[in-house]
Amino acid sequence: MTLKYTPLRSSTTLQRFAFLVAMLTAATALSGCSNNEKKKYAPPESLCGVSVEPDLLAPFLPPGKRISTQLTRPNDGTQRCSVSVDDQLALIAGQIWWYKTGTVEEIASVHARVNNGNVTTGNNFLYSGTGAVGKVDGCTNSTHPDKALFTTVQVFTSGQEDASTMGQLITRYTEHVRAGRDCE
């Protein structure tokens, strides 16, 4: 079998070919833009009433246009602050009253996204690139007399991992919770 070269015969065929090349180039350029999306919102300065440094929160939030927070209390001893970007869950910061003898490892085992974390000196913090648990030392509450307060942070956006910053975030968040109204 012999292949025969046939030149393009009409300007219409050339125009179609040029249009196809232009469309493929444009599609390639547009797909590249989506990977470079920016954050068009400012990270919050508090998580449902608990102060937080926006610079520590920012690495765990995805690009998008709009950010929102929502506080829920699924039971008497738990509260969660859900952070969403463009209506997609990005992060949950929580507080949970647990048994006084409880450990950060136990709390981590029942929270998603707190993967095989590093436990800090004193066993008060456990953190990984996608989540963390902190124990709020010295916090008591007459509503929960036999319990200890723990904090949690869980990141649900893929590709937003940073263990070092997570360690700083859970430490500062826990400090702010301790200074808050739930600790007497």
Side-chain angles (χ1 to χ4, degrees):
M1 174 174 186
T2 305
L3 294 176
K4 183 178 175 186
Y5 170 73
T6 307
L8 297 174
R9 295 189 181 165
S10 70
S11 63
T12 305
T13 304
L14 283 174
Q15 289 172 344
R16 287 182 186 160
F17 180 74
F19 177 76
L20 180 62
V21 169
M23 293 305 293
L24 287 172
T25 302
T28 302
L30 288 175
S31 68
C33 290
S34 66
N35 293 333
N36 296 325
E37 266 189 72
K38 304 271 185 213
K39 293 178 184 175
K40 296 179 182 174
Y41 59 85
E45 294 182 12
S46 76
L47 293 171
C48 301
V50 177
S51 294
V52 65
E53 290 81 356
D55 291 345
L56 294 178
L57 193 58
F60 303 106
L61 301 174
K65 296 178 182 175
R66 188 174 42 89
I67 192 165
S68 61
T69 60
Q70 181 181 12
L71 178 65
T72 57
R73 297 178 195 270
N75 61 49
D76 185 42
T78 304
Q79 70 178 33
R80 294 185 185 123
C81 183
S82 299
V83 180
S84 297
V85 175
D86 296 339
D87 298 322
Q88 295 294 314
L89 180 63
L91 180 141
I92 295 176
Q95 299 173 41
I96 182 171
W97 288 97
W98 197 262
Y99 302 102
K100 279 189 177 185
T101 58
T103 66
V104 292
E105 292 93 339
E106 288 174 338
I107 302 298
S109 72
V110 295
H111 285 81
R113 310 298 295 158
V114 185
N115 306 323
N116 300 321
N118 301 312
V119 178
T120 64
T121 307
N123 295 321
N124 286 338
F125 297 98
L126 180 148
Y127 62 92
S128 69
T130 58
V133 175
K135 185 172 185 178
V136 186
D137 272 343
C139 181
T140 59
N141 186 295
S142 58
T143 307
H144 307 284
D146 297 326
K147 307 262 177 150
L149 184 59
F150 290 84
T151 57
T152 61
V153 175
Q154 301 164 271
V155 177
F156 291 93
T157 305
S158 63
Q160 305 296 116
E161 298 182 23
D162 184 341
S164 175
T165 303
M166 180 59 73
Q168 295 172 49
L169 175 61
I170 193 64
T171 301
R172 297 295 294 146
Y173 179 69
T174 302
E175 289 170 0
H176 290 291
V177 167
R178 182 177 178 199
R181 65 181 177 267
D182 289 331
C183 295
E184 298 171 350

